[in-house]
Amino acid sequence: MDHHKTHSLFYFSLFLLFTFTISAFDLATIPFNDGYSPLFGNGNVVRSLDGNAVQLLLDRYTGSGFISSNMYQYGFFSANIKLPSNNTAGICVAFYTSNGDVFEKSHDELDFEFLGNVAGKPWRFQTNLYGNGSTHRGREERYRLWFDPSKGYHRYSILWTQKNVIFYIDEVPIREVLRSEEMRGEYPSKPMSLYATIWDASNWATSGGRYKVNYKYAPFGAEFKDLVLKGCTTDPVEEFSDIEGCADQNAHLEAQDYAKVTPIRSMKMRRFRQRFMYYSYCYDTIRYPIPPPECHFNLAEKQRFRETGRLKFGGSHRRLSRRRGRNSTPIEDTDQSDM
């Protein structure tokens, strides 16, 4: 069997692995204007004619973004997203929750950050979590994907409850963080908004800044549709909020199918992490000699990683200081292999 057929069969088997027995969530979507507004680069926020989708553009003058109209005390945030294609080095597309505009020194954040690449190399992405301004304790994990995110839409979701956080791709959980008493204020607990952005991250996104955005290929467009906002809306500056109302809605949120990692989902999450995670802060003993309290070690998984948190096979890893704000700067990734 030739290499091309072997490669095709490999990805077909991965498709079966992550789709079999996983049913779609029952989600109610909303039009863009019903729940969101432009954040910056207004001319580069292009809404569809039916109002149910939006494209964020990056050109040589500006990136763009949108923000939810309300802040939420826990919730489920989701969208079908299609990333830019071709030469995307230096580009960051982010889908995340944050309250940094309100709590500048004690903000919370939950991130999907998609990192572009040179022509012929795949997109990479990372997830992250911050609570109460704990930016000195980044909780990054980095991964590859089992599909090309520029060829079609895939659903990316963030579940945030008072008990746990789950990151999903197409109904497959890829990461769960369980709240523990030891985390204290480092678990996100203040109201947050939903953000989506595309911006020039040439200084760090691809090979630690070696490859910059090539505006010869601009504009770059990230597409968002089938938008979901589910949670208790609240005003963070009010001294007294509708605690009882949020309690009822939060209980309803925690009762949803997607709020639990079932045994089948747990198996698929384990397989995803075995095949596609190539950095985890939990295994970075140079950075964290004492692991953060939410890290529950999987011995088989741990044995695959160096003391730097990187896979023992497939690239190098160096740390980079994190500049906070809307445009977050995660660990540096110098690996350009297909792994």
Side-chain angles (χ1 to χ4, degrees):
M1 185 178 293
D2 61 35
H3 175 73
H4 177 73
K5 290 182 178 178
T6 302
H7 194 71
S8 298
L9 286 174
F10 172 73
Y11 280 99
F12 179 69
S13 66
L14 290 177
F15 171 79
L16 292 178
L17 171 65
F18 290 109
T19 56
F20 183 64
T21 72
I22 292 289
S23 58
F25 296 142
D26 182 17
L27 301 175
T29 62
I30 60 173
F32 180 83
N33 287 345
D34 286 2
Y36 311 86
S37 60
L39 177 66
F40 69 100
N42 290 18
N44 283 356
V45 179
V46 183
R47 279 163 270 204
S48 64
L49 292 177
D50 63 7
N52 293 321
V54 63
Q55 184 179 41
L56 298 181
L57 300 177
L58 167 68
D59 57 30
R60 66 178 63 254
Y61 303 105
T62 183
S64 55
F66 64 81
I67 183 175
S68 62
S69 303
N70 294 303
M71 300 187 77
Y72 295 83
Q73 183 67 58
Y74 306 119
F76 185 79
F77 312 93
S78 183
N80 271 320
I81 304 174
K82 182 180 179 182
L83 298 178
S85 59
N86 299 322
N87 193 330
T88 57
I91 295 174
C92 179
V93 175
F95 184 74
Y96 64 106
T97 64
S98 178
N99 49 33
D101 293 336
V102 178
F103 304 101
E104 294 184 5
K105 296 183 179 180
S106 60
H107 86 284
D108 306 300
E109 192 170 315
L110 298 168
D111 299 321
F112 271 109
E113 291 180 308
F114 304 94
L115 310 176
N117 218 330
V118 296
K121 297 292 185 179
W123 281 84
R124 306 295 177 91
F125 78 101
Q126 66 180 27
T127 61
N128 209 340
L129 176 149
Y130 287 95
N132 203 33
S134 58
T135 56
H136 63 291
R137 288 167 66 88
R139 291 172 162 87
E140 304 96 336
E141 290 187 347
R142 281 198 173 187
Y143 326 83
R144 296 176 294 121
L145 288 161
W146 66 96
F147 54 84
D148 183 343
S150 69
K151 297 297 185 184
Y153 288 92
H154 291 269
R155 180 165 291 282
Y156 304 88
S157 307
I158 300 171
L159 169 79
W160 170 47
T161 78
Q162 57 189 340
K163 298 177 181 178
N164 65 336
V165 171
I166 305 176
F167 294 89
Y168 282 101
I169 298 179
D170 289 340
E171 292 78 43
V172 175
I174 63 165
R175 177 182 183 182
E176 181 180 28
V177 177
L178 297 173
R179 186 174 191 170
S180 66
E181 291 184 6
E182 292 77 13
M183 289 185 74
R184 298 180 181 178
E186 294 189 5
Y187 185 87
S189 58
K190 296 186 293 297
M192 291 193 280
S193 300
L194 184 281
Y195 295 80
T197 58
I198 183 171
W199 52 285
D200 186 330
S202 291
N203 63 323
W204 63 269
T206 308
S207 293
R210 187 196 314 173
Y211 300 101
K212 314 297 184 184
V213 175
N214 187 341
Y215 285 102
K216 180 177 71 174
Y217 300 97
F220 303 95
E223 302 173 31
F224 299 77
K225 69 175 185 178
D226 305 323
L227 302 161
V228 175
L229 285 175
K230 183 179 178 62
C232 184
T233 61
T234 186
D235 185 346
V237 300
E238 286 186 358
E239 185 175 356
F240 300 101
S241 60
D242 186 359
I243 297 176
E244 183 177 349
C246 272
D248 291 342
Q249 292 190 51
N250 290 338
H252 180 71
L253 178 70
E254 293 172 12
Q256 299 304 302
D257 175 58
Y258 47 70
K260 300 176 288 295
V261 176
T262 64
I264 291 177
R265 288 181 186 147
S266 179
M267 176 190 69
K268 294 189 179 295
M269 180 166 65
R270 183 173 64 252
R271 289 183 178 177
F272 169 86
R273 296 171 69 82
Q274 288 173 348
R275 288 164 172 80
F276 299 105
M277 184 173 73
Y278 65 92
Y279 172 81
S280 173
Y281 73 103
C282 283
Y283 303 129
D284 192 339
T285 57
I286 292 178
R287 189 179 184 187
Y288 297 123
I290 300 176
E294 74 278 4
C295 290
H296 300 287
F297 292 112
N298 179 311
L299 184 59
E301 186 176 271
K302 182 180 180 181
Q303 291 174 344
R304 298 169 50 242
F305 290 86
R306 301 188 185 105
E307 61 182 3
T308 60
R310 290 284 310 215
L311 283 174
K312 291 181 178 178
F313 304 98
S316 61
H317 164 245
R318 291 179 294 162
R319 283 190 294 138
L320 188 70
S321 63
R322 187 172 178 106
R323 176 177 56 83
R324 295 307 307 159
R326 181 174 300 115
N327 296 349
S328 55
T329 305
I331 62 167
E332 183 177 344
D333 182 5
T334 60
D335 178 25
Q336 286 298 309
S337 66
D338 276 332
M339 293 201 305

